Amino acid sequence: MNPVSFNCTVLRDGHQSLAATRMNSSDMLPIAPILDTMGFSALETWGGATIDAGLRFLKEWPFDRLDALKKAAPKTPHMMLLRGQNIVGYTNYADDVVEAFVATSAKHGMNIFRIFDCVNDPRNMETSIRAAKKAGAQAHGTICYTTSPVHTTESFVKMGCELAEMGVDAVVIKDMAGLIPPYETHELVAALKKNINVPVWIHTHDTAGLGASTYLSAIDAGVDACDVSIAPFANGTGQPDCLRMLALLEGSPRKPSFDLDKLNEVQEMLKPIYDSLDKFTSHKNEVVDSDTLRYQVPGGMLSNFRTQLKEQGMSDKFEEVFAEIPVVRKALGWIPLVTPTSQIVGVQAMLNVKFGRWKNISPQAADIALGYYGRTAAPVDPEVQKLCAEKMGKEPITCRPADLIKPGMADLRKKLEEKGLPTDDEHCVIYAMFPQEVEAYYKKPEPKAEAPVAISTPAPAAAGISAQVSGTAGNRSMNIVINGQSHSVQVERVN
Ligand code: CO
């Protein structure tokens, strides 16, 4: 039996989950060369929220971080999390923008693109998978694990087979909420291993305290690689700690070999960094959150909702809003809760409780109902869909959503030229997702933490909802104006 491989997430999901994505490149650079010699099968160094948060809060140009980390850790493959047609943004982008993003990232040294789609529609992953292969990188097809009456081992295996047929180099089980039970993991990994010919990898979070047991089950069932992090950027809402996993695997033929002195050295280097980010860390994120099990939602949603409901004077409605989440998910075809659907479902659940069910529908929720985010696991409630079509003034679609989006690169280049900004592909693809942040980056070269900037989550106009008008980036909140009334909303990222 082969030892299981470990991927190290500390430079991406580790600090995204436990320190609001605030670790900066200068903190990472002394650690990267040590990680590079430790035998990890991949270092997750980029993607997810790191590009948005790095640009917005740390004033770091995303490709500079990638270049620097590649130089510091040239041997181990670098991995990034890519939201399929959403790239690392919150809506669908044109195929040529997705292609340019993947090609450019590969050119800067990205080796593994871990590609997922927020509604698990493989059609939204086609373009990025093809682009990664074309660039000579690895494309990993990802299944977002979620619980619902229509999600079963069979349905996940069916998706795994579809991804394998699309030519992916590995299939990944992505359990962003840390909710997959260990015995179900065993069944799913065994079924995937039986039905597909490419390696099976797994990613979970320890939010509900299941992570390490989930990995043990996956390893018993033959999983090829697990994502681990390094304490203190590990456990809790992050990935299980590498050292803890090694201890759990003691005596197993699948235990991988790691230099514990090096692991210890990295851990000691990470401690002061973690302490320096105390504004962004929270004891609640470090411990087992049994509410995650109770409410079956990602930990990030819970903490943000507590704040948000308090701000709205709706703290007494906590249970009601949480009871509304499955109602919204069911009406929208049982979509998983992952960026950006976790935000969309959360906001809609709140609107339903505040104004009455489906009295106010956010443009994003309407777009999901109308098929603009892709095909959902179950059909959308026809009544809700009808309501959304009326509100948005557009018909439901069944095609691949990006088929309706015109190529974007030429326009992006033109816009950048007009603004006197660089017009290379790097700038075009980042500007496509974060226009205000790119402009702010060039206006304010000096790092200026937590300046109020507009949140770039796109907001198509809809009847009754004027716009998501402004946001304060520091506390990740945005305002939605509904019928002239302003509502503050927290934005959490669940990757
Ligand atoms: Co994650």
Side-chain angles (χ1 to χ4, degrees):
M1 258 206 271
N2 291 336
V4 66
S5 297
F6 283 170
N7 308 308
C8 182
T9 64
V10 71
L11 302 182
R12 203 283 295 177
D13 210 350
H15 73 106
Q16 180 175 326
S17 296
L18 285 151
T21 333
R22 293 309 207 284
M23 204 196 290
N24 62 42
S25 298
S26 58
D27 283 333
M28 296 177 185
L29 288 173
I31 296 164
I34 309 171
L35 295 178
D36 201 26
T37 62
M38 287 175 65
F40 288 111
S41 41
L43 302 178
E44 194 189 34
T45 48
W46 215 53
T50 62
I51 291 172
D52 183 351
L55 191 58
R56 201 186 291 266
F57 305 127
L58 310 172
K59 305 293 171 208
E60 286 190 23
W61 184 247
F63 287 98
D64 288 349
R65 177 180 291 184
L66 178 53
D67 291 344
L69 286 172
K70 270 302 280 194
K71 211 173 147 204
K75 290 198 294 255
T76 313
H78 285 235
M79 176 164 77
M80 75 166 290
L81 185 65
L82 187 81
R83 303 176 188 140
Q85 208 73 25
N86 296 168
I87 315 181
V88 287
Y90 308 99
T91 189
N92 288 325
Y93 294 95
D95 282 334
D96 67 334
V97 179
V98 176
E99 284 159 2
F101 179 90
V102 172
T104 311
S105 309
K107 195 181 84 191
H108 281 264
M110 186 45 64
N111 307 98
I112 301 172
F113 291 83
R114 178 180 285 180
I115 300 163
F116 77 93
D117 173 57
C118 65
V119 299
N120 271 340
D121 183 346
R123 298 176 306 168
N124 292 336
M125 300 154 76
E126 270 169 27
T127 302
S128 35
I129 290 172
R130 205 184 321 117
K133 305 287 287 182
K134 194 178 160 199
Q138 285 192 42
H140 287 194
T142 304
I143 303 166
C144 291
Y145 174 83
T146 189
T147 49
S148 89
V150 297
H151 289 94
T152 58
T153 296
E154 290 69 36
S155 74
F156 290 128
V157 170
K158 186 170 163 267
M159 184 177 176
C161 292
E162 276 178 66
L163 293 170
E165 275 164 30
M166 286 162 75
V168 296
D169 300 283
V171 167
V172 187
I173 303 165
K174 175 179 167 62
D175 176 30
M176 53 279 172
L179 286 172
I180 189 168
Y183 288 99
E184 203 177 310
T185 307
H186 195 283
E187 187 183 293
L188 178 55
V189 170
L192 284 170
K193 289 296 291 178
K194 203 175 136 197
N195 285 284
I196 59 175
N197 296 324
V198 291
V200 176
W201 290 19
I202 188 164
H203 172 91
T204 192
H205 290 250
D206 209 29
T207 319
L210 302 181
S213 322
T214 293
Y215 282 165
L216 276 191
S217 281
I219 292 165
D220 271 352
V223 86
D224 297 278
C226 296
D227 284 4
V228 299
S229 193
I230 302 174
F233 292 91
N235 308 314
T237 50
Q239 277 70 55
D241 177 25
C242 182
L243 189 62
R244 185 169 151 219
M245 284 311 304
L246 290 172
L248 278 164
L249 284 167
E250 200 55 60
S252 160
R254 299 213 65 203
K255 184 186 171 198
S257 145
F258 274 84
D259 181 334
L260 295 186
D261 289 336
K262 278 186 183 168
L263 198 55
N264 190 40
E265 190 187 345
V266 172
Q267 200 160 326
E268 289 306 316
M269 289 168 85
L270 288 168
K271 278 178 187 168
I273 302 172
Y274 191 83
D275 291 342
S276 75
L277 297 173
D278 60 345
K279 247 172 84 186
F280 307 105
T281 58
S282 152
H283 178 63
K284 272 194 173 162
N285 291 337
E286 295 163 357
V287 294
V288 170
D289 184 350
S290 51
D291 279 354
T292 270
L293 288 176
R294 187 167 156 220
Y295 296 109
Q296 295 278 303
V297 300
M301 275 187 86
L302 276 169
S303 53
N304 281 295
F305 259 130
R306 287 190 189 107
T307 319
Q308 194 176 322
L309 292 173
K310 204 169 152 192
E311 279 171 6
Q312 297 275 317
M314 285 172 72
S315 292
D316 57 323
K317 298 273 197 272
F318 187 85
E319 296 292 334
E320 218 180 309
V321 171
F322 270 90
E324 191 64 16
I325 287 173
V327 175
V328 174
R329 282 188 67 212
K330 186 181 180 195
L332 298 181
W334 287 115
I335 49 175
L337 298 173
V338 67
T339 299
T341 47
S342 51
Q343 291 90 337
I344 299 170
V345 169
V347 167
Q348 193 55 49
M350 213 183 63
L351 293 175
N352 279 7
V353 168
K354 187 150 183 160
F355 297 101
R357 207 166 268 169
W358 310 113
K359 293 282 187 270
N360 267 300
I361 304 173
S362 81
Q364 289 85 0
D367 273 346
I368 292 176
L370 296 172
Y372 287 88
Y373 278 80
R375 191 185 292 137
T376 51
V380 170
D381 181 323
E383 288 299 311
V384 172
Q385 194 179 58
K386 209 174 131 216
L387 221 52
C388 294
E390 282 165 15
K391 286 210 167 207
M392 300 289 281
K394 55 186 187 186
E395 289 304 306
I397 58 162
T398 54
C399 66
R400 187 184 72 105
D403 285 340
L404 303 174
I405 306 174
K406 284 191 296 219
M409 287 297 281
D411 267 2
L412 289 162
R413 226 178 292 279
K414 214 173 112 198
K415 270 186 201 153
L416 286 169
E417 201 182 340
E418 281 165 13
K419 291 182 185 296
L421 297 174
T423 58
D424 51 30
D425 282 4
E426 283 83 347
H427 283 79
C428 289
V429 293
I430 300 296
Y431 186 81
M433 293 178 280
F434 311 112
Q436 286 110 333
E437 289 73 15
V438 171
E439 286 183 39
Y441 174 81
Y442 277 96
K443 267 184 208 139
K444 294 173 195 157
E446 289 302 309
K448 201 175 171 189
E450 312 309 310
V453 290
I455 300 274
S456 66
T457 308
I465 303 197
S466 60
Q468 293 180 351
V469 283
S470 65
T472 309
N475 58 9
R476 294 188 293 170
S477 71
M478 66 167 90
N479 293 317
I480 306 184
V481 179
I482 298 155
N483 296 335
Q485 210 188 333
S486 181
H487 303 273
S488 170
V489 174
Q490 293 288 313
V491 181
E492 90 286 359
R493 300 178 182 88
V494 180
N495 285 151

